[in-house]
Amino acid sequence: MHHHQLFPEDFDCTVSLFPLGDVVLFPRVMQPLHIFEPRYRQMTEDALATDRLIAMALAHPFAAHRFMDFTPIFPVVCIGKIQQEVRLPDGRFNMLLQGLARARITSEFETGKLYRRAQVQILEDI
């Protein structure tokens, strides 16, 4: 399957980054997630209002001390699409994120949001 069938017509190769230390998303796999941190609630709200895409990034294992808000992450991420979501009364979310494709971060940019966004290059499946 070609990536252009998986992504919205107007996909501009920018994605929201969701760094986690212990969860890796793979293409075609459904990953249940529980969203509770304010910055990732904002990320989820924005994703649901737009293309429903979120890129799961793997936090560097040596980043346990977490550099403030800027967790070092590996450059290859997996872009996922929110397929189902349940908005809990207190603002948290439960969701199913389906992996679409792997991508490499080419640059991060400032958005004024609580969460990080990056420009990416889609990687072909091996």
Side-chain angles (χ1 to χ4, degrees):
M1 182 183 280
H2 294 294
H3 297 307
H4 57 77
Q5 294 168 299
L6 298 171
F7 290 94
E9 291 277 312
D10 57 352
F11 180 57
D12 61 0
C13 288
T14 61
V15 291
S16 301
L17 297 177
F18 187 24
L20 285 177
D22 51 358
V23 179
V24 180
L25 182 67
F26 293 100
R28 293 176 295 283
V29 173
M30 282 284 193
Q31 176 69 51
L33 293 170
H34 177 67
I35 308 292
F36 57 91
E37 278 189 67
R39 57 185 153 175
Y40 299 126
R41 291 186 205 184
Q42 183 188 69
M43 177 190 71
T44 302
E45 297 272 2
D46 290 351
L48 290 172
T50 55
D51 56 16
R52 301 178 74 89
L53 299 179
I54 290 174
M56 299 279 294
L58 184 63
H60 219 278
F62 303 114
H65 52 292
R66 298 280 189 256
F67 295 102
M68 308 291 285
D69 279 344
F70 207 78
T71 308
I73 55 177
F74 288 102
V76 173
V77 299
C78 184
I79 302 173
K81 183 168 191 175
I82 301 170
Q83 296 293 8
Q84 291 178 28
E85 75 283 348
V86 176
R87 188 187 302 257
L88 302 171
D90 62 2
R92 290 176 299 140
F93 289 91
N94 286 322
M95 69 162 79
L96 277 179
L97 192 68
Q98 182 176 25
L100 298 184
R102 294 181 334 124
R104 180 180 300 280
I105 294 173
T106 53
S107 63
E108 285 196 42
F109 53 90
E110 188 48 58
T111 61
K113 297 283 186 183
L114 297 176
Y115 57 90
R116 293 156 68 179
R117 281 181 64 80
Q119 190 82 30
V120 296
Q121 178 182 15
I122 305 289
L123 299 174
E124 292 303 321
D125 276 340
I126 315 297

